Amino acid sequence: MKTLTKIALILVPAITLSVTVAAHDPSMHAKKAEKADCSKMDHSKMDMKDPVAVAMMKKCMKQGKASMNKMDHSKMKGMDHSKMKEKKMKKDDHKNH
Amino acid sequence: MKILKLLLILIILGVGGVAAVMYSGVVDVAADEPHSDFVYWLLEETRETSIKKAAHSIEVPDLSDPELLLTGGVDYEYMCSSCHLKPGQNESDMSLGLYPAPPNLAVADDSHKGHEHGDEMQSTRKNFWVIKHGIKASGMPAWGKTHSDERIWAMVAFLKRLPTLTPEQYQVLTAVD
Ligand SMILES: [Cu+2]
């Protein structure tokens, strides 16, 4: 047998098997209802003209995560504070203590 | 008379041939046994042409409202990501096991080869049509039976941005609130 054939004979099943095993990781079957993780958001990089950024802000405000308080709004581009619901933010803040 | 006889023989041969293929069991329907190149091409052309024709007159609404990314995102995570994957994930039981395989919708169009996608508008219409009506004899369900056009358009809007999302952005957009 050629060396190349031998290598192929070992590698092909090995790769196929490892791929199948990875796909069956039990954690992938468990659907957990996660809350949005707003702490990783880098607000200084967010452009408020981008619908994705606006949608993420909306989601995090609805969740009333404490991270809202730590946000540095001055670094955001094009953020319109008049459109934000002041009342809702205050109410949501109370969930955190 | 001679022509009529010839025609009759041809018809009998044709029907007989189809019956032989059907009842001999030579057609392998196993999902882990791919089609021959020819059969694959035949099915692919038929599907693409059918969808193009059916979708060409669909009117596309304004999809720029950020709110659409939230409704569409949550729906995508719960109804589609098991088959069509998400940022940071490139395989699942469904994506490996289904044949035809569900395309990875978290990567940009031109990075999966095999068929051409037409212009932006056409692919928007196509996505709406496919989500609403599904695709016969594949794993793709018709979501229009249980979801309004508005919710389907929201998913279409989300799909437009999906290939650009980082895993972190995806997590925030698709989490339940
Ligand atoms: Cu495609």
Side-chain angles (χ1 to χ4, degrees), chain B residues 72-81 84-85 158-159 162 170:
Chain B
V74 173
D75 276 348
Y76 182 87
E77 164 69 9
Y78 281 85
M79 309 188 318
C80 324
S81 64
H84 290 293
L85 308 170
F158 183 75
L159 288 185
L162 181 57
Y170 179 90

Side-chain angles (χ1 to χ4, degrees), chain B residues 48 103 105 109 112 115 117 126:
Chain B
E48 295 293 317
L105 297 180
D109 263 347
H112 67 255
H115 50 240
H117 279 271
K126 176 193 159 165

